[in-house]
Amino acid sequence: MDDSDTSAILAEDLESSDSRRVCCCFKVPESRRPPPCSCPFSVTVEPVMFLSMFSIVLQWPLSTQYLWDRISEDVGYNGTKGGGGCNASTVDDPLQKEVETLTAQWNLYINMGGFLVGLIMVTLLGSWSDRAGRRLVLIIPSLGLAVQASVYLIVMYLKLPVFWFLIGRIFSGLSGDFNAILAGCFAYVADTSGRGSRTFRVAILEACLGVAGIFASVIGGHWRRAQGYINPFWLVLATNLAAALYAYLFVPETVTPDPEARFLSTRHHRAIFHLYSSDAPQGRRAKLWLYTICFFLVVFVHFGCSDLFVLYELSAPLCWGPELIGYGSAAKNLAYLTSLMGLRAMQCCMKDSWVALVGLTSNIVGLIAISFANSTALMFTGYGLSFLFMASTPVLRSKLSKLVDPLEQGALFASVACVEGLCSLLSSVVFNSLYPATLYFMKGFPFIFGAIILLISAVIIGGLGCQEEREGGENREGSVIS
């Protein structure tokens, strides 16, 4: 898609937004200060999303590998000395299984600590942005992620116990973590997009996640092999600081900041409660809950499986080294781009609900292939079959956004971010506990478990899609009769 197409989409968004949105978002009052600089390109929050995701994907596999190496050193396991994840001939090595178990457990503790704190903070930050402005919800979490990277660097320099990784994760959670950035970015897109193009605009934003993931995955593996862990984490720190600086300098505000807006207020939680308890217009509440449940199930599987991919690849029988782990992560993140292109193509001939079902089918088939992967070729085949796995989440975000009033977008995406935080916590608990528990009878069982959960979500989306088709047909019929 070239620059002219992007400009046309943005122009369509401005024209198609309803009068209330135009009034509250695009008519800039005198009290709203423009950013210090203007961006020369037709982008707004996309660079913030790109930089933040780049730092997350760069540090995620590296921190798992660092935990693996530190724990291996502590227990006396030397299976990584040859440069790979393990020695393929030691499939039943008890020390390897101990390292796998301890690494999975520490991943669980670190994620649980961060997400428990972040779950509370992201709810406050997201709803607070309706009154205080969107830019703050982009800047604060970016600085928190920078603090986390700083703590990780100190741990590596001083070889402190891995317990300090948990402390760094909690600092990030106190700022809202990456979920707060997601909430701010998607609320911003909802502020500046029309109903007709919202799904594709959300998909573009999610494609930024994939592009950042591809670059970070390829760079991370080679860099770690050449220079170890410390230098890549300096880049993680720099990208988070750059994201905060960009949001401050270039992102225009879409909300008129209220100087009396209080951060610590029950108002934010009441707004979310009203959102999910009100049934006006009639039938909205049931759809809002069902689509939220579907979103929860899909993201639950995405987070849970992502937690295990690196660990699955490090151990026998795959025994991947840093380069292959980087290529595998890049292949998985390439699906963000292929999903964007597939979504755009499928929207020409089918409704959004059926696009989501195609994406879920791709994800299910890919996970089943990965669960039986005993070779590098089969593992990459699983990644290839999942080439549309990200087509479902933009549809779900867009459908949720269209169900609420334009002035409720902040509260909605605060709740969606809260759901994502809950997904991250529960998926980390479930999948990191399930993996060591099933190592002895089927190593890939967690991926089969994820495919079953996605099937439940597909049934719900299919049912809602059929209901919307019937409602649309009845409305058209009523219009013709009248």
Side-chain angles (χ1 to χ4, degrees):
M1 184 176 63
D2 55 25
D3 290 338
S4 61
D5 291 336
T6 303
S7 301
I9 291 172
L10 293 174
E12 177 194 349
D13 292 341
L14 293 174
E15 293 173 0
S16 61
S17 298
D18 56 52
S19 59
R20 280 180 299 176
R21 180 179 298 281
V22 172
C23 207
C24 70
C25 292
F26 296 116
K27 183 180 178 181
V28 181
E30 294 180 1
S31 60
R32 187 189 305 163
R33 292 182 179 180
C37 306
S38 59
C39 183
F41 306 104
S42 299
V43 293
T44 50
V45 294
E46 290 83 359
V48 178
M49 182 74 89
F50 177 90
L51 291 169
S52 299
M53 185 62 180
F54 181 90
S55 71
I56 292 293
V57 176
L58 184 61
Q59 76 174 18
W60 203 336
L62 289 178
S63 59
T64 300
Q65 291 177 76
Y66 181 82
L67 286 172
W68 176 284
D69 287 347
R70 284 292 302 273
I71 292 170
S72 296
E73 183 179 340
D74 290 343
V75 302
Y77 176 63
N78 61 358
T80 60
K81 298 302 182 184
C86 61
N87 187 337
S89 64
T90 60
V91 177
D92 298 321
D93 188 342
L95 279 180
Q96 178 188 310
K97 287 189 168 27
E98 182 181 356
V99 171
E100 286 185 78
T101 301
L102 289 173
T103 304
Q105 287 174 349
W106 271 109
N107 266 333
L108 170 61
Y109 302 149
I110 292 167
N111 288 333
M112 182 183 294
F115 287 125
L116 276 175
V117 178
L119 187 64
I120 300 170
M121 297 303 297
V122 74
T123 309
L124 293 173
L125 282 167
S127 187
W128 181 58
S129 71
D130 277 337
R131 302 185 66 196
R134 307 290 186 211
R135 293 171 67 205
L136 284 172
V137 184
L138 303 177
I139 296 171
I140 295 172
S142 297
L143 294 176
L145 288 168
V147 172
Q148 176 187 322
S150 301
V151 173
Y152 280 25
L153 280 168
I154 293 171
V155 172
M156 293 174 187
Y157 272 113
L158 302 179
K159 289 199 172 181
L160 298 176
V162 294
F163 166 78
W164 286 95
F165 271 26
L166 174 60
I167 303 300
R169 197 76 177 84
I170 290 175
F171 276 123
S172 176
L174 286 171
S175 70
D177 204 59
F178 181 60
N179 284 326
I181 295 176
L182 290 176
C185 288
F186 286 115
Y188 195 101
V189 166
D191 288 342
T192 57
S193 65
R195 293 175 64 87
S197 61
R198 189 166 305 165
T199 301
F200 188 61
R201 286 290 309 279
V202 170
I204 290 175
L205 201 56
E206 291 200 352
C208 293
L209 302 175
V211 174
I214 293 170
F215 283 109
S217 300
V218 174
I219 291 171
H222 288 286
W223 202 355
R224 182 264 175 186
R225 169 76 75 176
Q227 298 183 350
Y229 296 102
I230 290 177
N231 286 342
F233 268 89
W234 275 111
L235 181 59
V236 171
L237 174 61
T239 51
N240 285 312
L241 292 175
L245 185 63
Y246 174 87
Y248 173 75
L249 291 177
F250 295 107
V251 176
E253 184 57 79
T254 59
V255 174
T256 303
D258 181 357
E260 298 182 357
R262 291 187 301 164
F263 176 65
L264 297 176
S265 171
T266 58
R267 173 192 178 102
H268 310 311
H269 296 98
R270 290 200 306 268
I272 294 174
F273 175 78
H274 178 266
L275 185 70
Y276 280 88
S277 60
S278 173
D279 199 30
Q282 187 175 5
R284 184 190 80 162
R285 181 172 55 193
K287 289 183 179 179
L288 200 62
W289 275 103
L290 287 172
Y291 277 124
T292 301
I293 290 170
C294 288
F295 184 81
F296 173 86
L297 295 175
V298 172
V299 177
F300 175 80
V301 174
H302 287 179
F303 278 132
C305 292
S306 294
D307 265 359
L308 298 183
F309 281 136
V310 174
L311 196 55
Y312 191 74
E313 294 159 355
L314 275 169
S315 57
L318 295 177
C319 299
W320 284 8
E323 291 93 345
L324 273 176
I325 289 174
Y327 288 131
S329 186
K332 178 169 66 72
N333 285 294
L334 183 62
Y336 283 87
L337 288 179
T338 55
S339 296
L340 173 66
M341 293 185 289
L343 183 145
R344 189 59 167 172
M346 288 186 288
Q347 279 187 320
C348 298
C349 57
M350 62 178 69
K351 299 289 185 181
D352 280 357
S353 295
W354 315 128
V355 173
L357 286 180
V358 173
L360 288 174
T361 302
S362 171
N363 200 353
I364 290 169
V365 173
L367 286 177
I368 292 173
I370 289 171
S371 69
F372 293 101
N374 56 6
S375 66
T376 296
L378 187 54
M379 190 69 186
F380 277 104
T381 299
Y383 284 140
L385 291 171
S386 301
F387 75 108
L388 291 175
F389 90 102
M390 285 304 300
S392 56
T393 49
V395 171
L396 292 171
R397 291 185 200 270
S398 177
K399 283 188 172 293
L400 286 167
S401 178
K402 292 175 184 177
L403 285 171
V404 305
D405 188 88
L407 302 179
E408 296 177 308
Q409 296 296 333
L412 170 71
F413 283 103
S415 66
V416 170
C418 183
V419 168
E420 289 191 77
L422 185 61
C423 282
S424 300
L425 171 63
L426 293 180
S427 66
S428 185
V429 172
V430 173
F431 280 84
N432 279 290
S433 300
L434 191 62
Y435 182 77
T438 58
L439 274 175
Y440 295 95
F441 71 90
M442 184 181 180
K443 189 172 186 176
F445 179 79
F447 303 116
I448 296 288
F449 176 71
I452 294 171
I453 293 176
L454 291 178
L455 186 60
I456 296 171
S457 184
V459 171
I460 297 174
I461 292 173
L464 288 171
C466 292
Q467 180 185 350
E468 290 168 2
E469 290 276 343
R470 288 195 301 270
E471 291 174 352
E474 290 171 0
N475 291 337
R476 287 193 297 271
E477 183 179 347
S479 299
V480 171
I481 292 174
S482 62

